Amino acid sequence: MYEIIGRETLVPNNYLFKVEAPAVARKAQAGQFVIIRIDEKGERIPLTIADWDREEGSITIVFMEVGVTTRKLAQLKAGDFLDNFVGPLGLPSHIEKFGTVVCVGGGVGVAPIFPIARALKEAGNKIISIIGARSKDLLFWEERVREVSDSLTVTTDDGSYARKGLVTEPLKELMEGAEKVDRVVAIGPAIMMKFCAKTTEPFAVPTIVSLNPIMVDGTGMCGCCRVEVGGETKFTCVDGPEFDGHQVDWDLLFARQRIYLDEEKHATECACG
Ligand code: FAD
Ligand code: FES
Ligand code: MG
């Protein structure tokens, strides 16, 4: 059993949990994820490791309430326990001194981009960050990301704060600008990652995305997280979650993300009772 030792509502529908999991905290690296199960009847869901504290033995996860399991999770309080908390899973982010790296985080993707930007900064890179949210009240961790970045641009879709528009707009300007960009890392909704990759493709700037297909076991056994990258089948949980965004078959990812839509809708309706 894994105790929730801290809980925060970051913005409406987005929550931060600090979970006591010393074995996971000892090994966690940027880019990896955990698979959690609330109780013995619950389903298993993957959540990215947003931060860790090796001394305290804790892992921070940030999640958005989208369906039955994340709704149940959001109802838990500090002092409650999770039945399962397996990790760290997946390959860590590739961290080295590339030069100038643009880190793009959208929505709840701002949380997983933070430890990657921090690790890349520690490796000596210049970090240009772009984070975006639908509106001001859904934006979180601006200061955290700023602290590990050489510069930060914030966008909101509705213009309620900072620059109005999508994260791809400042990304395109950077691609067209005078400064050489050596790498882009983008994490957020699949559609955002697709368009970040489409934005950088004409400029041939390597662009890493963190894919989020449906997962079950997280160990390469069930095949549920199958994606296609560069014409090859990959299992996101063991071969990823990070891949070359220019090589991803996005349409297949979108289709596979939706395969249980009817069941998820039904489960949500039943749970609402
Ligand atoms: P449901 O109503 O069951 O599903 C809503 C949508 O979520 C589905 O249409 C599907 O696209 C997706 N989903 C459903 N079940 C799964 C599953 N078992 N695995 C993956 N996706 C699923 N979300 C966050 O908010 N924060 C994170 O840090 C985060 N990290 C992730 C890391 C990875 C490697 C992956 C693959 C996904 C991550 N997700 C993250 C997405 C998160 O797992 C889903 O939002 C969650 O499983 C939805 O469960 P639900 O029962 O609440 O919603
Ligand atoms: Fe089962 Fe990846 S989640 S193979
Ligand atoms: Mg579900």
Side-chain angles (χ1 to χ4, degrees):
M1 299 291 271
Y2 299 84
E3 186 175 358
I4 299 163
I5 55 173
R7 183 196 186 281
E8 217 182 298
T9 302
L10 289 175
V11 292
N13 284 333
N14 286 247
Y15 307 88
L16 177 154
F17 280 9
K18 217 188 225 198
V19 179
E20 191 174 36
V24 186
R26 239 185 337 265
K27 292 191 177 161
Q29 293 182 64
Q32 293 184 296
F33 64 94
V34 291
I35 289 204
I36 69 145
R37 201 170 58 144
I38 297 176
D39 54 43
E40 59 186 15
K41 288 190 186 144
E43 65 174 350
R44 299 156 62 85
I45 64 159
L47 295 170
T48 309
I49 295 172
D51 207 354
W52 56 86
D53 184 330
R54 299 202 207 280
E55 259 175 49
E56 188 181 47
S58 69
I59 293 286
T60 298
I61 48 174
V62 172
F63 64 94
M64 189 193 296
E65 193 180 323
V66 292
V68 170
T69 302
T70 47
R71 180 169 312 144
K72 278 189 195 157
L73 200 58
Q75 283 162 4
L76 300 181
K77 303 177 292 297
D80 288 340
F81 289 84
L82 300 173
D83 200 47
N84 264 221
F85 196 85
V86 179
L89 297 169
L91 301 175
S93 293
H94 179 173
I95 305 295
E96 64 170 65
K97 188 167 179 186
F98 296 104
T100 298
V101 184
V102 178
C103 293
V104 189
V108 74
V110 171
I113 206 73
F114 164 71
I116 296 172
R118 179 176 60 188
L120 287 165
K121 178 76 184 156
E122 284 168 4
N125 292 286
K126 177 177 179 185
I127 305 297
I128 301 176
S129 294
I130 304 169
I131 60 172
R134 285 206 311 278
S135 63
K136 182 178 185 212
D137 61 331
L138 296 175
L139 182 74
F140 63 86
W141 279 18
E142 178 182 351
E143 286 318 310
R144 263 191 159 210
V145 175
R146 194 186 303 281
E147 274 171 26
V148 297
S149 308
D150 292 271
S151 72
L152 171 68
T153 300
V154 179
T155 64
T156 50
D157 297 7
D158 64 0
S160 52
Y161 179 65
R163 180 173 167 168
K164 183 178 191 313
L166 304 174
V167 289
T168 44
E169 292 160 22
L171 179 62
K172 182 155 187 274
E173 288 165 12
L174 283 166
M175 293 296 111
E176 291 167 343
E179 184 169 0
K180 180 171 174 283
V181 174
D182 299 288
R183 196 175 179 86
V184 172
V185 186
I187 307 187
I191 190 77
M192 181 211 100
M193 294 191 284
K194 173 184 170 174
F195 282 104
C196 286
K198 293 288 169 213
T199 302
T200 59
E201 203 166 9
F203 302 90
V205 177
T207 298
I208 305 304
V209 294
S210 182
L211 298 186
N212 48 1
I214 292 177
M215 289 188 178
V216 179
D217 67 317
T219 60
M221 305 287 280
C222 70
C224 195
C225 66
R226 176 168 67 80
V227 291
E228 214 173 284
V229 184
E232 283 179 37
T233 295
K234 300 279 181 191
F235 289 167
T236 307
C237 64
V238 287
D239 301 322
E242 295 184 1
F243 293 102
D244 174 353
H246 298 155
Q247 301 286 325
V248 171
D249 181 337
W250 293 102
D251 291 339
L252 180 67
L253 176 70
F254 297 141
R256 290 190 57 80
Q257 281 181 327
R258 288 192 296 262
I259 48 180
Y260 297 114
L261 222 51
D262 287 345
E263 289 83 352
E264 287 155 6
K265 197 163 162 270
H266 179 70
T268 305
E269 284 161 4
C270 288
C272 289

